[in-house]
């Protein structure tokens, strides 16, 4: 069995992906804006990911904008038949890089067209509607109008499957009443566990939960407990953070981001790391102690 296969697999609609994939956001320039600092290194990371067996890449045309999708196309097109590229729409970038909502029919249709064009595809495998009621975290508000637009584009054959991102449980319920939802992408990691109940609900319902910032995002998680567990297992803290997520629930799919081939290899090796129960217990205490500190 190849190393990455040890992470297991999960289905997004009719598409099967390995549970350990890759998130392309870090390939754009600083602040996810503009070109990468090293174009050839960015291509090398993408090629190494696929060569290592990754068949799930997360992206968006608003990374750059257009930058990560064009890198993916340049590095990997024509794509391996089993590669699933998941993108997201619902936001746009201002001239100075700010993240703004883009929920109108015209903006969503344009975003799907841009993703198709920049990725060089006729159909997008999975499109997440990225809610922007609050750009920094889930906030209530109806997603009926924008989701109806995506469902229409799905009917037209431009989108295979639909997911949601940065959403509340109420929005997931609303979305599931409108169309099939195959995945939810929210912020979650061993130090940020606001979605614990949502993860359990989605496990029960067989829907993928894809945590963004699985390593903590722009400032990776740091914790003495994490470092101690990693040391005791001969692993790195980032590998332990990923292995904890793989163990957390079978419907969790990982898309850790990196602009470095060395970090990519380190992260993918987490597929083979098994955490003993005492390590899990110690790691489960990290979020609790952080919440306690914030009180
Ligand atoms: N739906 C949404 O709203 C949303 C929001 C954010 C992200 N996302 C998606 O989620 C994916 C993952 O999020 P993310 O990339 O922002 O955060 P992440 O995976 O939690 O962490 C990425 C950060 O960790 C560093 N890193 C990665 N591997 C490392 C290692 N082995 N050792 C030390 N540092 C390491 C990276 O720096 P280096 O480049 O130096 O390795 C980068 O700074 C993104 O690529 C994107 O596709 C979605």
């Amino acid at each position: 069995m190849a190393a990455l296969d040890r992470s297991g697999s999960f289905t997004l609609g009719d598409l099967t992906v390995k549970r350990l994939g890759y998130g392309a956001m870090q390939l754009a320039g600083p602040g996810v804006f503009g070109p990468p600092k090293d174009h050839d290194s960015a291509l090398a990371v993408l090629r190494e990911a696929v060569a290592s067996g990754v068949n799930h890449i997360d992206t968006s045309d608003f990374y750059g904008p257009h930058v990560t999708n064009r890198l993916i196309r340049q590095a990997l097109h024509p794509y391996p038949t089993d590669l699933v590229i998941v993108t997201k729409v619902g936001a746009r970038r201002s001239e100075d890089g700010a993240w703004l909502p883009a929920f109108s029919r015209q903006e969503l249709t344009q975003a799907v067209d841009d993703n198709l064009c920049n990725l060089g595809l006729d159909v997008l495998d999975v499109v997440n509607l990225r809610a922007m009621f609050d750009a920094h975290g889930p906030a209530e508000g109806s997603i009926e109008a924008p989701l109806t637009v995506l469902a229409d584009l799905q009917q037209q054959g431009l989108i295979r499957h639909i997911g949601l991102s940065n959403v509340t449980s109420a929005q997931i319920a609303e979305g599931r009443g409108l169309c099939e939802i195959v995945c939810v992408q929210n912020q979650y990691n061993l130090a940020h566990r606001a979605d614990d109940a949502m993860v359990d609900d989605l496990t029960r319902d067989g829907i993928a939960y894809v945590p963004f910032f699985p390593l903590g995002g722009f400032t990776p998680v740091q914790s003495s407990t994490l470092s101690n567990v990693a040391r005791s297992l001969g692993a790195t803290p980032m590998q332990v953070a990923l292995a904890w997520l793989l163990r957390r629930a079978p419907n969790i799919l990982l898309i850790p981001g990196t602009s470095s081939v060395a970090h990519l290899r380190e992260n993918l090796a987490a597929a083979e790391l098994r955490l003993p129960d005492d390590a899990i217990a110690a790691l489960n205490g990290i979020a609790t102690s952080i919440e306690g500190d914030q009180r």
Side-chain angles (χ1 to χ4, degrees):
M1 180 189 270
L4 202 58
D5 292 330
R6 295 186 192 282
S7 65
S9 62
F10 197 80
T11 54
L12 298 167
D14 62 343
L15 306 170
T16 300
V17 294
K18 291 168 200 173
R19 293 182 61 212
L20 193 32
Y22 172 70
M25 188 180 87
Q26 301 291 340
L27 296 182
V32 198
F33 201 57
K37 56 181 184 297
D38 183 335
H39 186 90
D40 289 346
S41 299
L43 297 179
V45 170
L46 287 161
R47 290 177 178 140
E48 176 73 16
V50 168
S52 304
V54 164
N55 66 359
H56 173 202
I57 294 180
D58 187 81
T59 185
S60 175
D61 211 57
F62 53 68
Y63 295 158
H66 315 302
V67 169
T68 59
N69 280 350
R70 288 175 183 165
L71 287 168
I72 290 169
R73 181 179 186 164
Q74 187 182 352
L76 302 175
H77 198 281
Y79 301 115
T81 49
D82 70 336
L83 180 65
V84 175
I85 299 177
V86 177
T87 190
K88 59 190 84 69
V89 298
R92 66 182 174 85
R93 311 301 294 278
S94 68
E95 298 270 300
D96 59 358
W99 304 78
L100 303 173
F103 258 28
S104 70
R105 176 171 286 271
Q106 191 266 332
E107 287 170 310
L108 292 166
T109 305
Q110 183 67 52
V112 167
D113 279 352
D114 288 346
N115 275 283
L116 286 167
C117 172
N118 287 318
L119 287 167
L121 291 168
D122 297 325
V123 186
L124 297 171
D125 291 329
V126 182
V127 177
N128 286 322
L129 177 69
R130 209 289 184 182
M132 292 289 289
F133 298 104
D134 176 345
H136 303 294
E140 297 299 352
S142 176
I143 56 170
E144 179 175 356
L147 197 57
T148 301
V149 176
L150 290 196
D152 288 349
L153 296 171
Q154 186 180 37
Q155 288 287 317
Q156 291 168 31
L158 300 178
I159 297 173
R160 203 179 306 274
H161 298 295
I162 294 175
L164 298 173
S165 176
N166 197 39
V167 285
T168 65
S169 293
Q171 287 161 337
I172 295 171
E174 184 187 28
R176 293 181 70 191
L178 294 165
C179 62
E180 186 189 1
I181 300 298
V182 301
C183 55
V184 172
Q185 187 176 120
N186 275 9
Q187 183 178 357
Y188 185 82
N189 56 52
L190 87 178
H192 182 99
R193 297 181 57 174
D195 275 357
D196 265 333
M198 184 190 289
V199 171
D200 294 338
D201 289 345
L202 295 175
T203 306
R204 183 197 62 215
D205 294 346
I207 296 173
Y209 183 88
V210 187
F212 73 76
F213 294 164
L215 301 174
F218 295 99
T219 311
V221 178
Q222 289 185 350
S223 141
S224 55
T225 303
L226 178 60
S227 299
N228 290 339
V229 168
R231 200 173 307 113
S232 73
L233 297 172
T236 68
M238 297 300 102
Q239 289 171 330
V240 173
L242 295 172
W244 179 85
L245 284 164
L246 286 174
R247 171 81 180 260
R248 170 64 182 82
N251 58 322
I252 287 188
L253 306 183
L254 301 185
I255 49 165
T258 181
S259 55
S260 140
V261 167
H263 284 169
L264 175 77
R265 289 185 180 138
E266 177 185 327
N267 297 344
L268 296 182
E272 298 190 280
L273 180 63
R274 292 287 167 270
L275 299 178
D277 290 344
D278 59 341
I280 292 287
L283 296 167
N284 282 342
I286 292 176
T288 318
S289 68
I290 289 172
E291 281 163 21
D293 291 347
Q294 289 170 345
R295 265 187 222 122

